[in-house]
């Protein structure tokens, strides 16, 4: 009986958090940023990862509250620890740019989070990792190309342009100008200015 009561409490707690988060989203869409932030905070404090992510966004962009990157990082971290893919990406970016601790520890943790987010299908994480592995102190071109292709196949025109560069210069793949041209054309058709300029050149 105690177990059943506990389960009911958990369900009720989750349902309230979902409702608060939805109310927050609707309030934000209506332009009521302070009310949205309050709803997100209430749901986040109940441990709901989607709301924790939304609180992080509010703090990062100063919507409904003062801009505070440290608090944004805190809430992204909470959501990321519950395997929220977009929070993993945002927290990784926070660690690389603002996070506490040694550069090596932050770097190692950030890359692990980016890879988890990329594997979960977050295009931004795939694109970031692609460039990161191409331009790192010890470039891993094949690994970088893998992530750039994932992002390009998810519709990211900038990553499609970078895939073209890889084929043109033979980075992580055998040089192939025809293949480079194909990727540049696809990227340019999607509105990428660099690809358009490259085609003219």
């Amino acid at each position: 009986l105690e177990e059943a009561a506990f389960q009911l409490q958990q369900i009720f707690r989750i349902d309230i958090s979902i409702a608060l988060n939805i109310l927050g989203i609707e309030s934000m869409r209506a332009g009521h940023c302070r009310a949205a932030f309050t709803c997100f905070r209430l749901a986040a404090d109940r441990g709901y990862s989607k709301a924790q992510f939304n609180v992080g966004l509010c703090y990062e962009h100063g919507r409904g509250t003062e801009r505070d990157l440290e608090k944004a990082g805190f809430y992204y971290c909470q959501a990321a620890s519950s395997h929220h893919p977009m929070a993993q990406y945002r927290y990784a970016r926070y660690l690389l740019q603002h996070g506490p601790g040694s550069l090596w520890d932050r770097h190692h943790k950030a890359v692990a989070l980016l890879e988890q987010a990329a594997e979960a299908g977050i295009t931004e994480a795939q694109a970031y990792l692609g460039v990161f592995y191409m331009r790192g102190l010890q470039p891993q071109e094949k690994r970088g190309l893998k992530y750039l292709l994932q992002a390009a196949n998810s519709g990211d025109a900038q990553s499609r342009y970078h895939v073209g560069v890889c084929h043109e210069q033979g980075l992580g793949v055998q040089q192939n100008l025809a293949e480079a041209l194909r990727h540049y054309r696809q990227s340019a058709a999607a509105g990428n200015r660099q690809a358009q300029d490259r085609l003219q050149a």
Side-chain angles (χ1 to χ4, degrees), residues 32 52 60 88 109 148 176 196:
H32 307 301
Q52 290 166 342
E60 183 178 0
Q88 290 171 328
K109 187 171 185 178
L148 288 173
N176 185 329
Q196 292 165 358

Side-chain angles (χ1 to χ4, degrees), residues 175-197:
Q175 188 178 36
N176 185 329
L177 296 181
E179 192 66 8
L181 196 60
R182 185 175 74 83
H183 288 289
Y184 288 147
R185 283 183 178 141
Q186 286 180 13
S187 180
N192 184 274
R193 186 78 195 169
Q194 285 177 293
Q196 292 165 358
D197 292 345

